[in-house]
């Protein structure tokens, strides 16, 4: 019992030394294009809307929240860049994980969805005269971790609804990924979010209708 208490204290210290009390800025890599074959039909991404809900003190860490002055005091610009919340070794919520100023959650989803449509054989265009039009609602994009006895488990959720405007079809796409680490470094946050986005890309590609 004494050893367990000492180890929990060490884990808490190690997590805090990973800058858990600060705000980290983590750039996320954009997707690399793949050969989607012959792209005969076009699709227009009409809009991407961040519909995530932030709470002040959520019961579960997968719910978006912000440290310091809290979510209610945060600007829309800050919320648009927020992708995770840090915690200490006891699970107490502390600092935040943000995208850099030149990235937003909406832009990330647009780029990964574009890559997914290309993978599926669609040609993504920037005008409303396309063969198909889609609006994307972002319901989740968040990273967090759960403390454990020997390590922490980093998690990330991505969930959107693809709304095909012309035929009224709505396709929900959700993914969850997790990975075990010793510390939640900035590199670890980057990797878990990119892992979720790549899985999201694959699931969108498998979910959308194929062009005729």
């Amino acid at each position: 019992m004494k050893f367990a208490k000492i180890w929990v204290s060490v884990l808490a210290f190690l997590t805090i030394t990973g800058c858990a009390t600060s705000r980290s800025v983590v750039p996320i890599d954009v997707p690399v294009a793949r050969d989607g074959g012959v792209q005969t039909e076009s699709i227009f991404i009409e809009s991407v809307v961040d519909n995530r809900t932030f709470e002040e003190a959520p019961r579960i860490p997968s719910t978006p929240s912000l440290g310091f002055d809290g979510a209610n005091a945060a600007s829309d610009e800050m919320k648009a860049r927020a992708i995770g919340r840090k915690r200490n070794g006891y699970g107490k919520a502390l600092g935040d994980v943000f995208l850099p100023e030149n990235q937003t959650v909406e832009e990330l989803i647009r780029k990964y969805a574009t890559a997914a449509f290309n993978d599926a054989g669609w040609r993504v265009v920037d005008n409303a005269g396309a063969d198909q039009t889609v609006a994307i609602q972002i319901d989740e994009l968040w990273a967090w971790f759960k403390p454990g006895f020997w390590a922490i488990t980093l998690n990330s959720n991505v969930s959107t609804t693809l709304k095909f405007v012309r035929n009224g079809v709505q396709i929900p796409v959700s993914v969850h990924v997790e990975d075990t680490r010793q510390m939640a470094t900035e590199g670890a946050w980057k990797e878990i979010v990119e892992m979720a986005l790549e899985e999201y890309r694959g699931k969108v590609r498998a979910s959308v209708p194929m062009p005729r």
Side-chain angles (χ1 to χ4, degrees):
M1 181 64 69
K2 183 177 179 180
F3 174 79
K5 290 181 178 179
I6 292 173
W7 175 249
V8 170
S9 298
V10 171
L11 180 60
F13 172 76
L14 289 175
T15 308
I16 289 174
T17 58
C19 301
T21 58
S22 67
R23 279 183 166 157
S24 291
V25 176
V26 177
I28 302 300
D29 292 344
V30 297
V32 177
R34 301 176 186 142
D35 183 5
V38 179
Q39 298 173 329
T40 57
E41 286 198 282
S42 59
I43 190 168
F44 171 52
I45 300 177
E46 179 181 67
S47 62
V48 180
V49 178
D50 185 353
N51 200 40
R52 297 176 300 165
T53 300
F54 286 76
E55 296 183 9
E56 285 299 300
R59 295 181 179 179
I60 55 176
S62 59
T63 300
S65 63
L66 292 172
F68 298 88
D69 295 328
N72 290 341
S75 66
D76 290 341
E77 186 272 337
M78 291 176 65
K79 291 178 182 178
R81 293 169 47 215
I83 58 171
R85 185 82 186 270
K86 303 177 186 179
R87 294 176 181 270
N88 65 16
Y90 300 104
K92 177 179 172 57
L94 296 172
D96 308 306
V97 183
F98 280 88
L99 296 170
E101 292 185 0
N102 64 340
Q103 283 189 324
T104 66
V105 167
E106 290 180 352
E107 290 168 353
L108 277 180
I109 289 296
R110 179 181 289 274
K111 289 178 179 179
Y112 275 87
T114 295
F117 288 131
N118 285 334
D119 295 343
W122 290 94
R123 178 167 46 90
V124 180
V125 297
D126 60 358
N127 63 79
D131 298 305
Q132 183 60 268
T133 301
V134 64
I136 303 176
Q137 175 182 292
I138 304 170
D139 301 306
E140 290 183 280
L141 195 160
W142 198 249
W144 73 97
F145 76 74
K146 295 178 181 178
F149 188 73
W150 295 109
I152 61 174
T153 303
L154 281 164
N155 297 261
S156 184
N157 284 346
V158 178
S159 178
T160 67
T161 302
L162 309 178
K163 302 178 180 180
F164 289 84
V165 176
R166 296 190 178 179
N167 57 14
V169 172
Q170 296 191 21
I171 302 176
V173 180
S174 298
V175 301
H176 170 81
V177 299
E178 57 184 56
D179 190 26
T180 301
R181 299 292 182 101
Q182 293 300 315
M183 288 182 63
T185 62
E186 291 185 355
W189 288 110
K190 174 181 172 68
E191 289 175 13
I192 197 68
V193 173
E194 289 177 352
M195 188 187 304
L197 286 168
E198 276 297 331
E199 187 159 328
Y200 170 78
R201 173 182 179 176
K203 198 162 184 178
V204 171
R205 184 253 180 270
S207 301
V208 299
M210 301 292 289
R212 295 190 298 271

